[in-house]
Amino acid sequence: MNERTSVDMWFDPICPWAWVTSRWLLEVEQVRDVQVRFRVMSLSVLNEGRELPEPYQEAMRTGWGPVRVCIAAEQRYGSAAVGALYTALGTRIHLGKEQVGRELFVAALTDAGLDPELAEAAEDSGLDTALRQSHEEGMRPVGTEVGTPVIHAPGPEGRKVAFFGPVVTPAPKGEAAGRLWDGVLLVAGTPGFFELKRTRDLDPIFD
């Protein structure tokens, strides 16, 4: 049996594009020797001090809660619990269109088999040091001109490659997911490669 390659993805639960990418990575796990670990970044941290339209500012104020809950879960249960909680949060936020708040946090924690009292962490700014450390670890190699998803993976000759994306919808399934993974690693592992982009003409598709 081949040893599975450890891949880290940094997410913010409120980002729909990160959610689609995360579901793609779970498909990749089924067809490639890859083990995904989900890590926490924060769009609220990333956008501190930036001039933003008021609706986006409100989203950033709301965004502190979910990432604090994820950090609290990681501290209590370890990194494996973060993936389960992310799935529970994302299912309710992106598929269920539920309002982000304490009721959602309690339900998602329960879905993930975690202590629902951790919902109180949403208001605990004492978690922000750990949150910022996790955010910085994910974002440092890719810079602050991008958001989430961010992926770190082993590249050519064992050196780590880090990149924003891929931004894709809907999430490829089966071997199509594997082929996209192969291609992403190929370009990300090419020295001096920075960008491949085209205008998005679809909203996120959750299926």
Side-chain angles (χ1 to χ4, degrees), residues 26-39:
L26 293 179
E27 287 286 321
V28 173
E29 281 190 327
Q30 305 306 309
V31 295
R32 296 292 185 270
D33 291 322
V34 165
Q35 181 69 52
V36 180
R37 178 172 63 161
F38 291 106
R39 309 284 302 278

Side-chain angles (χ1 to χ4, degrees), residues 17 145-147 164-168 187 193-201:
W17 294 104
E145 296 179 359
V146 299
F164 165 72
V167 175
V168 60
V187 297
F193 181 89
F194 294 108
E195 189 168 358
L196 179 70
K197 190 172 183 179
R198 57 187 172 190
T199 300
R200 292 198 300 262
D201 58 3

